[in-house]
Amino acid sequence: TTVNTPTATLTGFADLTTAERRVLRGICEHKTGPQLADAFCLSEKTINNHKYEIAQKLQANGGPGCLTRFVGKHQEQLLQLLAQAKSR
């Protein structure tokens, strides 16, 4: 019997780096790129690079705004996964 855990249902989440997970959490909290850059003391370019990598790993393809739409659609599941990952 297979257990259907949130990590098993969201392709690519396990591949995210710690920095990418922090950015993803910020996106889940409706923070903008400039807000994330300020919060993490990074450039907006670095945040955009993380967002691009997150979108690739989660297979959230579809042009500008695709990651935001993906997060909106999967927000509850992502927040659960992020909380699980943080507690490990």
Side-chain angles (χ1 to χ4, degrees), residues 3-85:
V3 177
N4 190 11
T5 62
T7 44
T9 60
L10 198 56
T11 303
F13 183 84
D15 298 329
L16 296 176
T17 66
T18 302
E20 290 165 350
R21 289 178 187 198
R22 287 184 0 195
V23 170
L24 182 58
R25 179 179 300 284
I27 296 168
C28 287
E29 295 169 351
H30 307 288
K31 291 192 168 100
T32 65
Q35 289 171 328
L36 292 170
D38 286 344
F40 301 134
C41 299
L42 298 171
S43 72
E44 286 184 49
K45 173 73 172 137
T46 300
I47 295 297
N48 288 337
N49 288 341
H50 285 315
K51 288 166 71 174
Y52 174 82
E53 290 298 324
I54 294 165
Q56 293 299 303
K57 290 176 182 179
L58 297 180
Q59 299 176 4
N61 305 317
C66 65
L67 183 58
T68 303
R69 289 189 299 275
F70 181 89
V71 167
K73 184 176 180 182
H74 301 281
Q75 185 172 14
E76 185 177 322
Q77 185 179 19
L78 287 167
L79 288 171
Q80 285 178 345
L81 289 168
L82 290 163
Q84 289 172 6

